[in-house]
Amino acid sequence: MFPDPEDGIVDDIEKHGGRIRTFPHERGIWATHVWVPYEAKEDFFDLLDLLMTQARRVLPRLVKMEEFHVSLSQSVVLRYHWITPFVQSLKSRMAFFHRFLFTANQVKVYTNQEKTRTFIGLEVTAGHAQFLDLVSEVDRVMEEFDLATFYKEPSFHISLAWCVGDVQSELKEQAIQGLQEIVDSFEDSAPLLRVRAEQVRCKSGNKFFSFPLK
């Protein structure tokens, strides 16, 4: 009657708009990700609507993100019995970090490693060093469990929209300049895109964990 907790979550490609998972589902493994959240407010959604209208003129199939964050890890898989020690290790390493301000205001196009998805994001232009420090500690946790560490030269960013396929050249040629002009000219964009990082979050399967910064 009840699912085995070690089964994790059953994947259904129809629920993900055709996105392709980068690793297969197996019994007892849980997709895991670490990030700093961005709590979007009304003004941010006003800006996002303007950006989406402009970007969809070039690529109508773009999908707006529903949640916003700056990643500190790749998506990795954990065995069910690893979740508790993984989270405990992550908590201990995050405990000494202080809150900090960062700015994300540079429009940039990204793809995932497999080139199966393209993203439009706002790159972090201030606060990069603090994110590198966080990633350094997250990477140490990953190494404890023999998991993939983060990218060697990361471009920290908040993803705004995505679509299936590799269309980065199309967006770079036809959309980026116009999108950047919208960001630069948007009223109060400077304080809107200057963000206080106050916590680190982790999701493993359907379990969420939060680690407040000092």
Side-chain angles (χ1 to χ4, degrees), residues 161-174:
W162 68 274
C163 70
V164 173
D166 180 0
V167 292
Q168 58 179 332
S169 60
E170 184 176 350
L171 288 172
K172 287 178 180 178
E173 292 171 5
Q174 302 180 43

Side-chain angles (χ1 to χ4, degrees), residues 6-9 23-30 77-79:
E6 294 193 9
D7 287 344
I9 298 175
F23 45 80
H25 268 288
E26 295 178 16
R27 177 183 173 84
I29 68 170
W30 292 55
V77 290
L78 273 180
R79 295 289 177 184

Side-chain angles (χ1 to χ4, degrees), residues 34-168:
V34 183
W35 72 92
V36 169
Y38 172 58
E39 304 294 344
K41 295 181 172 58
E42 184 177 351
D43 286 349
F44 178 82
F45 287 108
D46 291 341
L47 172 59
L48 182 57
D49 286 343
L50 292 174
L51 294 172
M52 291 299 298
T53 298
Q54 177 73 12
R56 283 173 173 160
R57 291 173 182 164
V58 176
L59 203 64
R61 70 177 188 272
L62 278 169
V63 179
K64 186 189 304 183
M65 301 294 290
E66 297 180 357
E67 297 180 350
F68 307 94
H69 63 264
V70 179
S71 289
L72 301 178
S73 79
Q74 299 189 56
S75 186
V76 298
V77 290
L78 273 180
R79 295 289 177 184
Y80 179 75
H81 60 277
W82 288 351
I83 295 176
T84 297
F86 179 91
V87 169
Q88 289 175 340
S89 180
L90 190 59
K91 180 180 180 180
S92 67
R93 292 189 177 277
M94 297 295 104
F96 302 101
F97 281 96
H98 290 268
R99 300 176 183 184
F100 63 93
L101 290 171
F102 69 93
T103 300
N105 60 2
Q106 186 71 38
V107 180
K108 195 166 181 178
V109 178
Y110 300 88
T111 62
N112 62 347
Q113 283 187 307
E114 297 77 20
K115 306 291 187 183
T116 57
R117 279 176 278 166
T118 301
F119 301 84
I120 296 176
L122 290 174
E123 185 180 29
V124 170
T125 56
H128 187 86
Q130 289 92 330
F131 278 113
L132 283 177
D133 289 341
L134 284 172
V135 165
S136 176
E137 293 303 311
V138 174
D139 277 352
R140 291 187 179 187
V141 178
M142 296 296 178
E143 289 170 347
E144 289 177 26
F145 294 85
D146 199 25
L147 299 171
T149 56
F150 205 44
Y151 309 109
K152 295 304 178 186
E153 297 183 1
S155 172
F156 298 108
H157 63 279
I158 300 171
S159 290
L160 305 176
W162 68 274
C163 70
V164 173
D166 180 0
V167 292
Q168 58 179 332

Side-chain angles (χ1 to χ4, degrees), residues 169-207:
S169 60
E170 184 176 350
L171 288 172
K172 287 178 180 178
E173 292 171 5
Q174 302 180 43
I176 290 301
Q177 182 176 345
L179 296 176
Q180 188 64 58
E181 290 172 356
I182 290 173
V183 171
D184 293 342
S185 63
F186 188 78
E187 185 177 5
D188 295 329
S189 67
L192 177 64
L193 300 177
R194 184 168 172 79
V195 185
R196 181 176 293 277
E198 297 184 334
Q199 61 180 296
V200 171
R201 290 182 185 168
C202 174
K203 180 183 179 185
S204 188
N206 58 4
K207 297 177 181 292

